[in-house]
């Protein structure tokens, strides 16, 4: 089932004085996960999900707006910059295991469709070119191999072995070129768009309402403590008011602006900086059929964490393709289908110094971004050929991925700290929450939403514990 405006589900919530239990802002993986979770934990609650586009998962949760990697710490060097320190990679692995448990619990009780509709096996690899990166990868492997979550990882510097794992990468490569790879066969490719739709169906099956093509333009607390959302129909211009006891803003780059509208002090000084990404894509079967993995390299010296290059197998609605990238882009939009003024709408006297200081402290990032924006197609294609020497430019075409709003946090010493992760922000009384930041958010959504439940609904902890044990049996 596709949730689209034409399905007629943008009805309801007509009575201005009705008070709903939960309002979810955003039609991506985070609100969908929370909606499904609450449907299982508190089925008597009334819920509405509000999405500004005319379909769900139209932004960063869309399958072609991200690389679909089930981030589990298996292959991404940016999650383990120090090859002797596995803490972050191991934590991401634990969080992704919770995600798998949550999805499997919903599959077991019939709430989700067969897993192949959103999850397919795809081995995860890390490839190292040159002695510097080989030394890093060898140390990383030795560090991780003793941990249970990584015990299935293999390491090789043998070209024949690596060629058996990823023939596309080895074909046409210069004999004697030093390289190494690690491989874990239990990796996955995830269609977060299909998963978002399936999780939303769990919520709507329990009576939740969905408003597509509607945008939240106002968010204030009434004198009785109930949140008042002013919602505009983007097609007709009509406005309505929705009142809710609890609000979650999971609207990607728009989340900070919504929390600012709510005037909660917890986001004072917070800022966001937008990054876009472009990928090269091929659908040619003769190429796609030769690569059945997600392969990550190491970022160039001085490049930011989100620049880690990767060649990914994608399976979306049964169709296979390959993506390579990312190539950074820049826009003042905070959403792929947003407005050019969105960044400026988040600026405040309290966060301007934070944003400026973060820029001054990350001049290398600024130079990297400028270089990416000026890069020619020939230069971009040379990066692909580092992974796939026989790549033919005629087989590949560029696609624009989703827009990320990287979080910039105020810091008493550094003034501004650019972060490359996600942060859950909650109001002091727990009636409002929002998720800021980016990767590896989608892959760890169930764990993040479980944390939200504990912070925002502590009075329900004991009541929900039996149901949570069923949803997260290994937690």
């Amino acid at each position: 089932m596709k949730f689209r405006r034409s399905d007629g589900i943008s009805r309801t919530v007509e009575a201005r004085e009705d008070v709903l239990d939960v309002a979810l802002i955003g039609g991506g993986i985070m609100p969908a996960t929370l909606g499904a979770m609450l449907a299982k934990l508190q089925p008597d609650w009334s819920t509405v999900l509000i999405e500004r586009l005319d379909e769900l998962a139209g932004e960063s949760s869309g399958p072609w707006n991200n690389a679909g990697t089930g981030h589990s710490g298996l292959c991404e060097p940016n999650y383990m910059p120090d090859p002797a320190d596995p803490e972050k990679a191991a934590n991401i692995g634990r969080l992704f295991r919770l995600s798998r448990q949550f999805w499997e619990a919903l599959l077991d009780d019939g709430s989700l469709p067969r897993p192949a509709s959103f999850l397919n096996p795809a081995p995860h690899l890390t490839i190292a070119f040159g002695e510097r990166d080989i030394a890093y990868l060898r140390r990383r492997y030795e560090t991780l191999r003793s941990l249970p979550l990584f015990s299935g990882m293999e390491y090789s510097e043998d070209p024949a072995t690596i060629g058996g794992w990823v023939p596309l990468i080895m074909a046409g490569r210069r004999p004697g070129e030093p390289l190494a790879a690690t491989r874990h066969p239990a990796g996955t490719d995830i269609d977060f768009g299909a998963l978002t739709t399936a999780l939303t169906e769990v919520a709507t099956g329990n009576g939740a309402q969905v408003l597509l093509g509607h945008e939240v333009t106002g968010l204030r607390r009434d004198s009785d403590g109930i949140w008042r959302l002013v919602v505009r129909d983007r097609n007709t211009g009509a406005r309505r008011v929705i009142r809710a006891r609890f609000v979650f803003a999971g609207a990607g780059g728009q989340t900070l602006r919504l929390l600012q509208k709510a005037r909660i002090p917890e986001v004072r000084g917070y800022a966001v900086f937008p990054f876009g990404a472009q990928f090269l894509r091929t659908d040619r079967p003769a190429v796609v059929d030769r690569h059945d993995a997600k392969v990550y390299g190491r970022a160039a010296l001085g490049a930011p964490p989100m620049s880690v290059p990767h060649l990914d197998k994608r399976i979306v609605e049964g169709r296979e393709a390959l993506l390579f990238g990312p190539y950074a882009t820049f826009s003042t939009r905070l959403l792929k289908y947003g407005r050019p003024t969105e960044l400026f709408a988040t600026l405040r006297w309290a966060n301007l110094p934070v944003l400026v200081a973060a820029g001054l402290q990350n001049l290398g990032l600024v130079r990297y971004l400028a270089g990416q924006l000026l890069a020619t197609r020939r230069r971009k294609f040379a990066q692909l050929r580092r992974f796939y020497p026989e790549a033919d430019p005629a087989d590949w075409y560029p696609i624009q991925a989703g827009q990320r709003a990287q979080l910039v946090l105020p810091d008493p010493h550094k003034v501004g700290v650019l972060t490359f992760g996600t942060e859950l922000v909650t109001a002091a009384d727990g009636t409002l929450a929002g998720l800021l930041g980016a990767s590896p958010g989608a892959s760890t959504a169930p764990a993040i939403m479980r944390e939200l439940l504990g912070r925002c609904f502590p009075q329900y902890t004991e009541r929900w514990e039996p149901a949570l044990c069923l949803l997260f049996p290994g937690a």
Side-chain angles (χ1 to χ4, degrees):
M1 174 181 178
K2 290 285 188 182
F3 282 89
R4 296 183 184 277
R5 187 181 180 87
S6 59
D7 291 336
I9 49 179
S10 59
R11 62 191 189 281
T12 75
V13 202
E14 301 294 344
R16 294 172 63 92
E17 298 307 316
D18 286 351
V19 177
L20 300 176
D21 293 299
V22 177
L24 306 172
I25 306 176
I29 188 66
M30 292 294 175
T33 298
L34 181 56
M37 206 172 285
L38 288 173
K40 296 296 181 181
L41 298 175
Q42 202 68 40
D44 59 324
W45 280 4
S46 53
T47 300
V48 63
L49 184 148
I50 307 162
E51 165 56 40
R52 66 187 295 273
L53 298 181
D54 287 342
E55 63 179 354
L56 294 176
E59 289 285 347
S60 293
S61 297
W64 299 116
N65 290 335
N66 59 71
T69 304
H71 287 298
S72 48
L74 296 175
C75 64
E76 306 94 326
N78 53 314
Y79 295 147
M80 197 172 165
D82 181 349
D85 182 7
E87 182 179 354
K88 185 173 181 180
N91 184 56
I92 289 173
R94 287 190 292 268
L95 295 178
F96 184 66
R97 183 178 62 177
L98 291 177
S99 296
R100 293 291 299 263
Q101 290 173 357
F102 177 68
W103 301 333
E104 287 165 7
L106 295 181
L107 284 163
D108 290 343
D109 71 11
S111 298
L112 287 183
R114 58 187 180 85
S117 64
F118 64 88
L119 185 149
N120 289 276
H124 287 187
L125 286 87
T126 307
I127 192 84
F129 305 107
E131 295 301 335
R132 164 186 168 263
D133 288 353
I134 290 173
Y136 161 84
L137 187 60
R138 188 184 301 120
R139 184 71 184 277
R140 183 182 189 272
Y141 168 71
E142 293 295 337
T143 302
L144 289 174
R145 63 185 299 192
S146 62
L147 303 180
L149 288 175
F150 302 87
S151 60
M153 185 177 289
E154 305 167 79
Y155 175 87
S156 181
E157 296 180 20
D158 175 42
T161 299
I162 299 172
W165 293 345
V166 279
L168 200 72
I169 285 179
M170 296 304 297
R173 193 164 295 280
R174 187 178 70 253
E177 179 182 351
L179 77 165
T182 56
R183 176 183 183 269
H184 201 297
T188 55
D189 172 71
I190 299 176
D191 180 344
F192 286 107
L195 180 57
T196 295
T197 298
L199 290 170
T200 303
E201 289 177 4
V202 176
T204 57
N206 191 60
Q209 305 292 337
V210 175
L211 296 178
L212 298 178
H214 286 69
E215 184 171 16
V216 176
T217 59
L219 179 60
R220 296 289 173 85
R221 196 198 309 259
D222 286 342
S223 58
D224 59 0
I226 304 299
W227 288 99
R228 175 178 293 265
L229 294 80
V230 179
V231 182
R232 181 178 68 90
D233 186 320
R234 299 182 72 222
N235 290 296
T236 68
R239 297 178 185 271
R240 69 178 73 183
V241 170
I242 295 174
R243 301 217 311 149
R245 295 181 178 87
F246 172 77
V247 177
F248 171 64
Q254 288 284 21
T255 297
L256 177 61
R257 180 74 178 115
L258 290 166
L259 298 180
Q260 290 172 332
K261 286 177 180 290
R263 297 182 178 179
I264 61 170
E266 287 80 4
V267 294
R268 178 176 172 78
Y270 280 41
V272 290
F273 188 82
F275 288 95
Q278 186 184 81
F279 284 88
L280 293 177
R281 172 178 168 180
T282 182
D283 307 298
R284 187 184 174 197
V287 177
V288 175
D289 292 346
R290 296 169 63 199
H291 188 74
D292 187 28
K294 291 181 177 289
V295 183
Y296 277 64
R298 201 173 176 205
L301 284 171
M306 85 282 281
S307 67
V308 169
H310 43 101
L311 180 61
D312 293 322
K313 179 71 166 282
R314 297 304 327 274
I315 303 172
V316 178
E317 296 181 348
R319 293 181 297 132
E320 298 183 350
L322 299 185
L323 291 185
F324 178 80
Y327 304 100
T329 63
F330 178 76
S331 166
T332 53
R333 291 177 171 87
L334 298 179
L335 296 171
K336 181 177 180 179
Y337 301 108
R339 306 178 184 92
T341 57
E342 287 171 343
L343 173 61
F344 306 109
T346 67
L347 299 181
R348 300 288 186 276
W349 289 114
N351 67 15
L352 273 173
V354 172
L355 197 57
V356 171
L360 293 174
Q361 293 161 24
N362 291 275
L363 292 177
L365 174 60
V366 175
R367 287 192 293 269
Y368 165 79
L369 182 58
Q372 288 278 287
L373 296 177
L374 295 173
T376 63
R377 175 173 169 80
R378 180 185 296 248
R379 179 179 162 192
K380 291 179 179 179
F381 207 79
Q383 296 176 43
L384 169 59
R385 281 190 167 148
R386 181 72 167 135
F387 274 68
Y388 172 25
E390 294 182 342
D392 183 347
D395 295 334
W396 299 78
Y397 59 95
I399 64 169
Q400 185 65 33
Q403 191 81 344
R404 291 182 177 185
Q406 300 291 159
L407 182 59
V408 184
L409 295 174
D411 182 274
H413 304 294
K414 296 182 180 178
V415 183
V417 179
L418 182 63
T419 64
F420 296 99
T422 53
E423 174 156 335
L424 181 64
V425 177
T426 57
D429 63 357
T431 61
L432 175 70
L435 189 73
L436 299 166
S439 181
S443 297
T444 59
I448 295 172
M449 293 302 101
R450 183 172 179 176
E451 179 187 352
L452 180 150
L453 295 176
R455 289 168 60 174
C456 296
F457 301 99
Q459 69 274 30
Y460 290 92
T461 300
E462 186 174 349
R463 180 193 302 181
W464 288 346
E465 188 60 30
L468 284 172
C469 286
L470 294 176
L471 293 174
F472 298 95

